[in-house]
Amino acid sequence: MTNKNPTSYDFIGDIHGCHDTLVSLLQALDYQYSDGCYRHERRQAVFVGDFVDRGPHQIEVIDTVRAMVDAGQAHAVMGNHEFNAIAYVTEDKKYGGYLRAHTERNERNHWAFLEAMQASPERYDELLEWFMTLPLWLDLGDVRAVHACWDRDGIAFLKEKYATDGLMTEALLHAASDPENPEFEIVENLLKGKTIKLADGLSYQDSVGVTRHYMRVRWWDADATTYKAAFIGPPAALSHIEDDPIDGDHLIEYGHNEPPLFIGHYWMQGKPTPLSPNIACVDYSIARREIGKLCAYRWDGETELDAQKFVCVPRLEP
Ligand SMILES: [Mn+2]
């Protein structure tokens, strides 16, 4: 039974291979398994990307999500981890090697998925093909989803140049992997969020211990005018971030009258709450063993988002 014109969607955050937790969340949201996938009589799910890497059940997560999408019970958008997985195995026609270099750090970040593919090599091509079907953004009319940032000008550029409504193409994949092209920054914005460079000589350690010279910013927040105020990242790193006014532009305008937007990606912590009246992040750090949880926002058509409408389950994976 496909629900053809739902006005009610459950936006589900980054899963990162945590299949037991995914099932626990779907059950908490009253989805039931029947006829090959999880379904809800009156609602659809929207997954905001980052299905793979980090957790123990890479393939299981994809199979559960894909079955829902195929049955018309869910939508899913691409996360940076799916984009990276494709780029990791795609040869770079211009510079040689692969579009995503096989550096030690990239391999470490991708290890859970690579290991799963070593155990099930027959699935590799098919899973990458599915990643390619995930749109970079999703506009459902009254509500929107993107993994990290709704870059309106970038979306308009891609729509025009690639005649796409969000779908990745071979040409765009290559263009977006070369920093010389405008596509690179646009896809970075959409999937990894807006970043700005710290002042010379400054850096901080991110949540997995990597030294960063760029910081993720609160791109939606016009009140965040200093580096410290705009910083998104581990609280412990804040002492390394200056309180000086931001040099240049860090904002990507998202008007208060635009449809509600759901994003993932930002490793939020604590009690879920919308980022602004019409933007909410549903990523609550599932990959962090001790504090991680998987969150959803139950949307029923409201234009102003409500902190009461998040539903979260704790991480079940050891
Ligand atoms: Mn992400």
Side-chain angles (χ1 to χ4, degrees):
M1 185 173 49
T2 304
N3 188 354
K4 286 227 166 33
N5 290 303
T7 52
S8 296
Y9 293 103
D10 298 314
F11 290 86
I12 297 178
D14 308 32
I15 303 165
H16 284 306
C18 292
H19 189 255
D20 295 347
T21 310
L22 170 60
V23 169
S24 155
L25 179 66
L26 289 169
Q27 288 170 345
L29 296 170
D30 288 325
Y31 284 70
Q32 273 155 19
Y33 194 87
S34 74
D35 197 15
C37 75
Y38 284 90
R39 304 164 183 266
H40 192 290
E41 265 182 40
R42 295 174 310 281
R43 309 181 67 87
Q44 287 188 347
V46 181
F47 295 96
V48 301
D50 276 5
F51 305 103
V52 298
D53 294 332
R54 303 203 165 106
H57 300 123
Q58 303 283 308
I59 295 177
E60 292 84 346
V61 167
I62 297 166
D63 286 346
T64 291
V65 170
R66 182 165 57 176
M68 293 176 72
V69 173
D70 288 349
Q73 304 299 316
H75 298 276
V77 298
M78 187 183 289
N80 55 308
H81 284 261
E82 287 74 51
F83 178 83
N84 288 346
I86 300 166
Y88 196 82
V89 294
T90 305
E91 286 179 25
D92 188 333
K93 295 176 207 160
K94 189 169 167 192
Y95 299 108
Y98 293 91
L99 292 181
R100 184 168 172 81
H102 291 192
T103 60
E104 200 208 317
R105 180 177 135 196
N106 288 346
E107 185 180 297
R108 194 172 59 233
N109 269 324
H110 198 31
W111 187 247
F113 185 73
L114 293 174
E115 215 173 37
M117 293 305 96
Q118 273 173 17
S120 306
E122 74 287 355
R123 300 291 309 272
Y124 208 157
D125 287 351
E126 163 220 332
L127 297 184
L128 292 168
E129 277 166 30
W130 185 68
F131 294 166
M132 279 294 280
T133 71
L134 299 170
L136 295 165
W137 67 86
L138 179 69
D139 192 342
L140 292 165
D142 295 335
V143 66
R144 295 168 171 167
V146 68
H147 186 61
C149 168
W150 192 270
D151 178 354
R152 182 176 34 193
D153 295 343
I155 288 172
F157 177 93
L158 296 183
K159 272 187 176 175
E160 161 110 27
K161 182 162 178 182
Y162 293 89
T164 176
D165 206 19
L167 281 187
M168 179 57 78
T169 68
E170 200 68 31
L172 175 54
L173 173 67
H174 283 268
S177 299
D178 183 348
E180 285 182 13
N181 301 320
E183 289 88 338
F184 179 86
E185 191 183 337
I186 294 168
V187 172
E188 288 258 314
N189 283 348
L190 295 171
L191 300 189
K192 303 178 190 176
K194 181 88 176 170
T195 57
I196 58 175
K197 196 175 184 312
L198 295 169
D200 284 345
L202 292 183
S203 65
Y204 72 95
Q205 304 276 311
D206 74 9
S207 42
V208 286
V210 175
T211 300
R212 300 280 181 183
H213 298 278
Y214 284 78
M215 60 174 237
R216 293 176 174 177
V217 289
R218 299 170 59 84
W219 54 266
W220 60 88
D221 189 351
D223 296 331
T225 56
T226 69
Y227 288 88
K228 205 183 263 293
F231 177 76
I232 310 173
L238 259 182
S239 57
H240 298 264
I241 307 295
E242 315 139 282
D243 207 13
D244 298 338
I246 293 170
D247 185 16
D249 192 17
H250 74 289
L251 292 173
I252 293 188
E253 192 189 340
Y254 196 81
H256 290 311
N257 296 325
E258 293 195 63
L261 170 68
F262 291 90
I263 61 176
H265 190 62
Y266 284 106
W267 296 70
M268 307 297 288
Q269 295 181 29
K271 187 171 154 42
T273 184
L275 300 171
S276 81
N278 62 343
I279 305 177
C281 176
V282 284
D283 174 27
Y284 277 77
S285 307
I286 184 69
R288 295 190 62 182
R289 280 199 171 77
E290 325 74 37
I291 60 157
K293 51 187 185 259
L294 184 60
C295 287
Y297 182 98
R298 309 211 87 176
W299 186 77
D300 297 289
E302 66 270 25
T303 52
E304 187 153 330
L305 302 177
D306 177 355
Q308 307 290 333
K309 299 192 76 174
F310 287 92
V311 173
C312 300
V313 295
R315 175 180 162 124
L316 292 180
E317 283 71 14

